[in-house]
Amino acid sequence: MPLPSDSDAKLNAYAHPERLVTTDWLAEHLGEPNLVVIESDEDVLLYHTGHIPGAIKVDWQLDLNDATTRDYVSPEGFAEVCGNRGIGRDTTVVIYGDNFNWWAAYALWVFSLFGHQDVRLLDGGRAKWLAEGRPMTTDNPSLTPCDYPIVPRDDATIRAFKDDVLAHIGHGPLVDVRSPGEYSGELLHMPDYPQEGAQRGGHVPTARSVPWKRAANDDGSFKSADDLRAIYAEEQGLKAGDDVITYCRIGERSSHTWFVLTHLLGFEHVRNYDGSWVEWGNAVRVPIERPERPAS
Amino acid sequence: MSGTLPARLQEIVDEFAEVDRTERLDLLLDYSRSLRPLPARLEGVELERVPECQTPLFVQTEVEEGRVHLFFAAPDEAPTSKGFAAIIQSGLEGCSVDEILGTPSDFAAGMGLADVVSPLRMRSVGAILARVKRQLMTSDAPST
């Protein structure tokens, strides 16, 4: 039995309010059977300095990425990650994390690749929970491992690969959610500062710049449905039926925007290009646009 | 490049290598908590950022009578970066410039930390040491 949805008014203005819970809702439901709370952070030690009581840790690098290939875990690997943590196929999973829920959104997206039905984000993440003075603990939660079925990973519906992006240029909207400096390419050219990863700077031709941060309030929560519609629908002209691809540097910030478009605004065909700029900016002969230069 | 580590840094490497995975994580947390706060005279001073650490980490080196002093600043929300910085601070504080320049950038490879924090995140350790060395080489560090 999934837990009830949060009936909060702000959440109910979103297209899929069942994908989000407020800190109030979580505080009220903590400890209930069939609920597992996951903390997923950029900093792998942060969970251990204190976490929401009962929450378990899932790390994007150690748990969700394949250790060898640049890819996600296999169906067997995912079943192990979940089963070891007491997550069953019908468990209600609520994910929160540091840094505006980047990695929480990323983890939710990976859970969605495996079709986990009931996975939600905590609106505002770790920062909001802390700011409200809610309880934290360093106690390890007691886990009862269970069986999680081995289900295929669906890499077609919400995931885009480099060739998909290439084919998308001129055919559908691409949303670059990185900072303006990364979008323009100038950040790769600071002397003596080797930025992570890319040989070339700029953006995918035709991609529009909509930094992920525009969707967030300063307290880490998502902006209201009206504010989000003003940005993505009115200003950017994106429509709910559009075939949209989002990308950033390694796919985490674009998971945040993927979540906004898919679950908060109800877009039906949004894919996250997880290869993102670390792949595109290193790939041979893919076209790149820079503001001061014509597209190559 | 010298193959040997300054004695204190070697002790820390061994300390990590000798414990199991869970204890290693706790040890890194302990180091993280042990990072010395910036002295008052450096507060508000613009310090060099280590851009390879995703979370902000700032480094300042000073040389006094041939001995190097290391200062770091990182937010509490970045315990991994703080832990790495604390290992370098504890391991290299008071060394000579030559000892630090001779410290191999991959000194942490034998600590067994990669399976606790991930191989990708371990790159930050080398990046922090590289910033320290560069400051010492370009004599950014005030010498007294």
Side-chain angles (χ1 to χ4, degrees):
Chain A
M1 270 288 286
L3 271 72
S5 292
D6 190 333
S7 58
D8 178 81
K10 174 198 162 191
L11 268 47
N12 275 281
Y14 295 131
H16 300 295
E18 72 280 6
R19 290 298 183 173
L20 213 52
V21 301
T22 57
T23 48
D24 278 340
W25 183 96
L26 186 58
E28 187 185 327
H29 291 279
L30 271 187
E32 286 184 18
N34 211 37
L35 170 69
V36 170
V37 182
I38 292 176
E39 176 163 336
S40 208
D41 296 322
E42 175 173 319
D43 192 302
V44 67
L45 287 188
L46 189 57
Y47 167 89
H48 302 277
T49 67
H51 52 81
I52 294 178
I56 53 158
K57 170 172 113 170
V58 170
D59 181 63
W60 69 279
Q61 293 187 33
L62 297 171
D63 301 315
L64 299 178
N65 281 5
D66 185 86
T68 309
T69 310
R70 189 175 167 207
D71 201 357
Y72 298 100
V73 286
S74 63
E76 292 78 13
F78 186 71
E80 195 180 317
V81 165
C82 290
N84 287 348
R85 288 167 174 75
I87 300 170
R89 190 66 172 164
D90 63 350
T91 300
T92 295
V93 174
V94 172
I95 313 181
Y96 74 98
D98 62 356
N99 218 348
F100 291 85
N101 268 341
W102 285 0
W103 302 104
Y106 183 89
L108 181 142
W109 178 75
V110 174
F111 269 69
S112 305
L113 290 176
F114 288 98
H116 190 90
Q117 208 64 44
D118 189 6
V119 56
R120 317 177 188 186
L121 278 188
L122 173 65
D123 195 25
R126 185 180 161 99
K128 190 161 189 288
W129 183 273
L130 276 173
E132 290 167 353
R134 297 183 188 269
M136 298 287 273
T137 181
T138 53
D139 293 346
N140 291 325
S142 57
L143 300 175
T144 313
C146 63
D147 281 330
Y148 194 92
I150 292 170
V151 286
R153 196 180 67 212
D154 176 0
D155 285 340
T157 311
I158 59 168
R159 186 179 186 193
F161 295 92
K162 185 176 117 239
D163 288 347
D164 300 324
V165 176
L166 209 48
H168 210 63
I169 299 171
H171 297 281
L174 284 155
V175 180
D176 184 321
V177 314
R178 297 173 301 163
S179 61
E182 291 170 285
Y183 177 81
S184 68
E186 69 197 53
L187 270 188
L188 284 172
H189 288 257
M190 284 167 74
D192 298 330
Y193 281 76
Q195 301 281 322
E196 253 178 317
Q199 300 276 326
R200 289 290 186 271
H203 54 264
V204 179
T206 75
R208 59 194 77 210
S209 171
V210 191
W212 67 273
K213 183 83 178 351
R214 297 191 60 194
N217 294 314
D218 287 341
D219 68 357
S221 63
F222 289 106
K223 286 195 177 150
S224 70
D226 284 345
D227 288 349
L228 295 176
R229 269 192 293 272
I231 297 167
Y232 297 96
E234 287 154 37
E235 178 196 304
Q236 295 294 326
L238 296 172
K239 292 184 288 295
D242 284 351
D243 186 1
V244 183
I245 296 180
T246 62
Y247 72 90
C248 60
R249 189 176 55 87
I250 50 173
E252 89 290 21
R253 287 174 289 179
S254 47
S255 302
H256 188 273
T257 299
W258 169 85
F259 183 88
V260 168
L261 293 175
T262 302
H263 292 313
L264 304 186
L265 294 178
F267 281 49
E268 286 155 26
H269 306 290
V270 185
R271 285 175 289 167
N272 180 26
Y273 169 39
D274 56 278
S276 273
W277 200 256
V278 165
E279 179 178 45
W280 196 271
N282 286 317
V284 175
R285 271 195 180 167
V286 295
I288 289 176
E289 202 166 72
R290 289 191 55 163
E292 73 273 30
R293 302 173 191 178
S296 55
Chain B
M1 186 176 277
S2 154
T4 57
L5 299 184
R8 173 66 190 133
L9 187 59
Q10 184 65 55
E11 275 175 33
I12 298 173
V13 169
D14 294 343
E15 190 183 7
F16 274 92
E18 283 160 12
V19 296
D20 70 22
R21 196 175 180 277
T22 312
E23 290 171 312
R24 214 170 275 150
L25 192 144
D26 290 337
L27 198 53
L28 187 58
L29 270 174
D30 287 344
Y31 271 98
S32 165
R33 294 188 193 100
S34 77
L35 186 69
R36 285 200 313 270
L38 279 185
R41 63 191 167 77
L42 285 181
E43 275 175 27
V45 175
E46 197 173 320
L47 306 178
E48 184 183 8
R49 179 169 177 163
V50 184
E52 292 86 351
C53 297
Q54 287 194 9
T55 41
L57 176 75
F58 299 89
V59 55
Q60 173 77 25
T61 57
E62 292 179 359
V63 184
E64 193 183 15
E65 293 174 1
R67 296 288 144 191
V68 177
H69 302 297
L70 301 166
F71 303 99
F72 296 97
D76 287 340
E77 300 77 51
T80 305
S81 295
K82 283 180 81 173
F84 291 159
I87 287 169
I88 289 172
Q89 185 180 60
S90 174
L92 297 178
E93 174 67 28
C95 286
S96 69
V97 172
D98 284 346
E99 280 178 301
I100 293 181
L101 294 182
T103 301
S105 16
D106 62 352
F107 77 88
M111 295 171 82
L113 272 172
D115 56 345
V116 176
V117 301
S118 92
L120 207 59
R121 291 185 176 107
M122 285 303 289
R123 289 187 190 173
S124 299
V125 183
I128 297 168
L129 182 58
R131 295 285 140 175
V132 167
K133 287 184 184 180
R134 207 180 63 134
Q135 280 194 9
L136 294 172
M137 280 190 292
T138 55
S139 60
D140 279 340
S143 199
T144 54

